[in-house]
Amino acid sequence: MPERRESESQNDKGTDLSEEAMSKTDSQTELSKRLANKITSHQPSIRVIYGDLSQLPNKVRHFVEEHVKLCKPDTIHICDGSERENDLLLYVLQRDGMIKRVPKFENCWLSRTDPADVARVERLTYIATEIQRDTVPTPKHGAKCQLGNWMCTEDMDHELNMRFPNCMKGRTMFVIPFSMGPVGSPLSKIGVQLTDSAYVVVSMRIMTRIGDKVLEALGDNAFVKCVHSVGRPLPTTATLQNNWPCDPKMIMVAHLPERNEICSYGSGYGGNSLLGKKCLALRLGSILGHREGWLAEHMLILGVENTLTGEKRYIAAAFPSACGKTNMAMMKPTLPHIKVTCVGDDIAWMRFDSEGRLRAINPENGFFGVAPGTSSKTNFFAMQMIQHNTIFTNVAQTSDGGVFWEGLEDEIEPGVKITSWLGDDDWNKDSRQRKAAHPNSRFCTPATQCPILDPAWEDPSIFADARPFAMRPFFGYNFGEYLHHWLSFGKDAKNKLPKIFHVNWFRKDKNGKFLKNKNLENENIDMEALFNVPLDFWENEVNAIYKYFDEQVNEDLPKAIMQELKALEARVVSY
């Protein structure tokens, strides 16, 4: 973060999770410690309304005090992760008009954001490093880089200094200690997020493990520093849309890997504000994985068991956002002897164990699923799961106290009226002029409510076959180096490399219907169309990949990848 105290040691400015960097941080001189204590003692008194600042580990307390001085909140709330705390924050959010009950379900809530704050902002998401090539390849022929947004650290500090000073005036700063992965697991990572949004706290409680138990596991070790503000200091004369504070014109999501920091400003929505999700688990996580010899991937994990033989396999599958990952992770098989269990629907942390087997965990604690398209037909188990303890965002509501989105048309009782996410009181599903729910509307629900959650979902010994890649929006470092990192695991003779399958469940028949939208055993499938290899498509595909690698990855492309592309071209030519 910008505006650090001059008395800070040089090591504190670049905290790294490696053992070497941590030992440097811990070896501050007695003089620097005395100076830090002196400055802290002269800071204005901090009004803590929940929790005990003095009981925080030293590094966490200093992090909080530094940002109190910068962001100027009125009060501080140190999150303990308890039910009592959650009930209190839900009451406050309801009182302030940010959420309302969904009475048809148990302890479920609906929020509507400002229409200008409804999605992740990849174009405003940056990785800040000293050297550009550490973050992105250098495109060829003046092409615009499509593999991430880089900013030098000095410019990033300038941008953050334009945003964060005094940004929390009139508000409460919440301190959220959180763990990605089971608390205390050797595969987990701990972060501390500072935020001025109670909505973020109740959502982070679902999506991560938060509170006192995390602080106990952390002790005085290093952690990922996360700072978030909606960018609306109080008092404000501007009218808030849907009582949703944000500053859309100044939104920025910044990752500073050399300091292990994530800073987000201006948005209160989803992955922009729940900094344990895409920011830590994927962007910064991929950097940590590169440093430490593991992989952070945009993948679901599921188990498939043959109940006749008892044989079980785990699969990690990579698909882009909003294409049905959650539906696949919670499949309801039509074959009677096949059982599917869900480990996770979005993120996989994978590493090879001492015996060379690929292990995987889901570092999240909940599901942040895209609502439209989810129904009892497409995802029976998700529809059961979300009827308790769920926060819905930007979905429509129904006159019988429920929720609605596109895909639920057949599940609404006759005569029930729908109020759209934009507040249209009698939205007509037949007019279709505007969607009832925002296309990126979400449900946020605890993983433990999934009816088919794998019994070993928190076990780091789960091993998986894998299918890369769906990481383009989430690279934390140079894509060419990312490919090198994947290839490096094949050089270790003891590693049992996973089987990789390329699937396409989106092919259509001559009538424009999905070929795989049926039970393959019971329906008349056009098998010729299903297994057809269209030559013109693959010729164009090879040419497009050549062009993409040449322009975007350029000199950073591993030679082995180019060799595979040439081999593909030879197979296509000889087909």
Side-chain angles (χ1 to χ4, degrees):
M1 276 298 295
E3 295 194 356
R4 297 172 178 271
R5 298 193 298 268
E6 292 182 3
S7 60
E8 282 186 321
S9 74
Q10 191 66 29
N11 291 328
D12 277 343
K13 293 184 180 179
T15 303
D16 190 291
L17 291 185
S18 66
E19 292 183 5
E20 179 184 1
M22 286 165 58
S23 79
K24 288 180 181 178
T25 301
D26 292 337
S27 63
Q28 287 180 310
T29 64
E30 288 301 316
L31 175 61
S32 65
K33 290 180 181 178
R34 286 197 297 272
L35 286 172
N37 290 335
K38 183 177 180 181
I39 286 179
T40 300
S41 66
H42 284 83
Q43 286 182 350
S45 60
I46 300 174
R47 186 181 167 213
V48 181
I49 59 172
Y50 193 99
D52 188 344
L53 187 63
S54 68
Q55 295 301 306
L56 292 177
N58 288 333
K59 289 178 182 176
V60 177
R61 179 168 55 84
H62 293 156
F63 173 56
V64 173
E65 290 171 344
E66 173 186 358
H67 287 86
V68 166
K69 184 179 179 182
L70 175 68
C71 302
K72 300 290 194 306
D74 275 15
T75 55
I76 300 213
H77 177 124
I78 300 168
C79 299
D80 61 15
S82 66
E83 288 286 350
R84 171 178 172 268
E85 174 186 65
N86 192 53
D87 290 342
L88 170 65
L89 295 180
L90 290 172
Y91 165 78
V92 169
L93 287 165
Q94 186 178 25
R95 180 200 66 192
D96 293 345
M98 288 190 66
I99 63 173
K100 61 174 68 175
R101 282 191 179 274
V102 179
K104 191 173 182 178
F105 299 152
E106 179 187 353
N107 191 35
C108 289
W109 305 85
L110 170 62
S111 68
R112 291 177 179 162
T113 73
D114 184 315
D117 188 20
V118 293
R120 287 197 316 266
V121 284
E122 263 77 44
R123 65 186 179 84
L124 302 173
T125 299
Y126 294 87
I127 311 289
T129 53
E130 293 297 331
I131 301 172
Q132 181 173 358
R133 198 171 178 183
D134 287 345
T135 298
V136 292
T138 303
K140 195 175 182 180
H141 307 312
K144 186 181 186 303
C145 179
Q146 300 173 13
L147 293 167
N149 300 315
W150 173 82
M151 188 180 292
C152 72
T153 337
E154 183 179 355
D155 288 347
M156 178 59 72
D157 280 343
H158 173 72
E159 291 293 333
L160 297 177
N161 276 322
M162 291 173 56
R163 290 166 170 79
F164 280 92
N166 305 317
C167 65
M168 296 186 186
K169 286 187 70 173
R171 296 190 179 277
T172 295
M173 174 189 281
F174 296 94
V175 181
I176 314 173
F178 68 95
S179 176
M180 300 305 296
V183 177
S185 167
L187 303 186
S188 299
K189 297 294 181 186
I190 288 178
V192 176
Q193 177 166 343
L194 310 180
T195 180
D196 51 8
S197 168
Y199 171 88
V200 167
V201 180
V202 296
S203 300
M204 284 287 284
R205 185 177 186 270
I206 294 173
M207 295 305 301
T208 71
R209 291 89 169 165
I210 77 169
D212 292 343
K213 57 186 179 181
V214 177
L215 290 175
E216 291 171 9
L218 174 63
D220 209 30
N221 296 310
F223 56 91
V224 178
K225 299 176 179 179
C226 305
V227 185
H228 165 257
S229 174
V230 294
R232 282 283 189 166
L234 297 173
T236 178
T237 57
T239 301
L240 297 181
Q241 296 290 322
N242 294 326
N243 298 306
W244 183 265
C246 60
D247 186 2
K249 293 181 179 179
M250 294 295 285
I251 288 176
M252 173 177 274
V253 181
H255 308 71
L256 297 95
E258 290 159 7
R259 303 174 186 169
N260 284 311
E261 293 182 359
I262 302 166
C263 306
S264 174
Y265 182 92
S267 170
Y269 180 83
N272 305 331
S273 62
L274 311 182
L275 301 187
K277 194 164 177 59
K278 304 301 189 186
C279 293
L280 195 164
L282 287 181
R283 295 191 189 96
L284 199 57
S286 66
I287 296 172
L288 296 175
H290 186 228
R291 292 177 190 170
E292 300 169 4
W294 51 278
L295 294 157
E297 292 295 327
H298 191 208
M299 293 181 175
L300 65 89
I301 310 173
L302 60 81
V304 182
E305 181 180 357
N306 184 327
T307 58
L308 298 179
T309 65
E311 184 181 17
K312 186 169 185 178
R313 291 283 186 270
Y314 286 98
I315 299 170
F319 300 107
S321 296
C323 78
K325 289 198 306 301
T326 303
N327 293 350
M328 180 179 176
M330 300 181 193
M331 257 194 304
K332 187 178 182 182
T334 56
L335 301 176
H337 63 284
I338 296 298
K339 179 182 179 181
V340 170
T341 53
C342 177
V343 177
D345 75 329
D346 195 42
I347 297 171
W349 284 0
M350 304 185 296
R351 68 180 70 210
F352 287 90
D353 65 14
S354 59
E355 298 177 356
R357 289 182 296 182
L358 184 63
R359 303 290 189 178
I361 67 166
N362 166 21
E364 298 192 286
N365 195 47
F367 298 102
F368 190 69
V370 175
T374 305
S375 67
S376 296
K377 182 178 179 180
T378 63
N379 198 328
F380 175 79
F381 297 116
M383 292 302 294
Q384 290 184 319
M385 175 180 71
I386 61 178
Q387 295 182 31
H388 313 274
N389 309 310
T390 298
I391 299 172
F392 298 97
T393 301
N394 289 341
V395 303
Q397 60 188 123
T398 59
S399 58
D400 63 348
V403 291
F404 176 84
W405 50 76
E406 278 63 28
L408 292 181
E409 290 82 359
D410 295 337
E411 301 183 34
I412 296 295
E413 295 292 331
V416 171
K417 294 185 177 181
I418 296 170
T419 300
S420 78
W421 80 281
L422 291 172
D424 299 329
D425 287 333
D426 192 8
W427 181 84
N428 185 348
K429 65 181 179 182
D430 297 322
S431 69
R432 313 247 179 222
Q433 292 179 349
R434 290 203 291 188
K435 302 289 187 183
H438 188 274
N440 196 38
S441 56
R442 299 278 179 156
F443 56 81
C444 182
T445 195
T448 52
Q449 294 182 184
C450 177
I452 59 166
L453 189 66
D454 195 284
W457 81 285
E458 292 187 300
D459 186 344
S461 66
I462 286 177
F463 61 95
D465 290 341
R467 186 271 184 248
F469 303 98
M471 279 285 285
R472 192 201 60 77
F474 309 117
F475 295 126
Y477 62 101
N478 187 304
F479 173 58
E481 189 59 36
Y482 169 84
L483 294 174
H484 275 290
H485 186 50
W486 263 89
L487 294 172
S488 70
F489 295 104
K491 297 177 181 178
D492 191 331
K494 78 172 186 301
N495 285 344
K496 302 174 178 65
L497 300 179
K499 296 178 181 178
I500 296 179
F501 304 89
H502 188 170
V503 299
N504 183 356
W505 291 324
F506 307 104
R507 292 184 67 173
K508 296 181 179 180
D509 61 20
K510 297 175 182 178
N511 299 317
K513 294 183 179 180
F514 290 114
L515 288 171
K516 295 188 182 180
N517 196 27
K518 300 174 182 178
N519 184 330
L520 295 181
E521 283 194 345
N522 300 328
E523 298 288 344
N524 184 22
I525 302 296
D526 187 343
M527 302 303 288
E528 182 178 351
L530 183 61
F531 289 101
N532 180 42
V533 180
L535 184 60
D536 56 345
F537 168 83
W538 279 106
E539 288 175 340
N540 293 332
E541 185 79 356
V542 166
N543 292 332
I545 295 173
Y546 268 122
K547 184 174 185 293
Y548 188 81
F549 282 167
D550 183 49
E551 288 185 355
Q552 291 295 317
V553 196
N554 200 0
E555 296 178 359
D556 291 309
L557 184 73
K559 292 180 180 179
I561 297 295
M562 182 55 70
Q563 290 169 357
E564 286 296 324
L565 179 57
K566 289 181 178 178
L568 171 62
E569 181 182 35
R571 292 195 298 272
V572 171
V573 169
S574 63
Y575 181 73

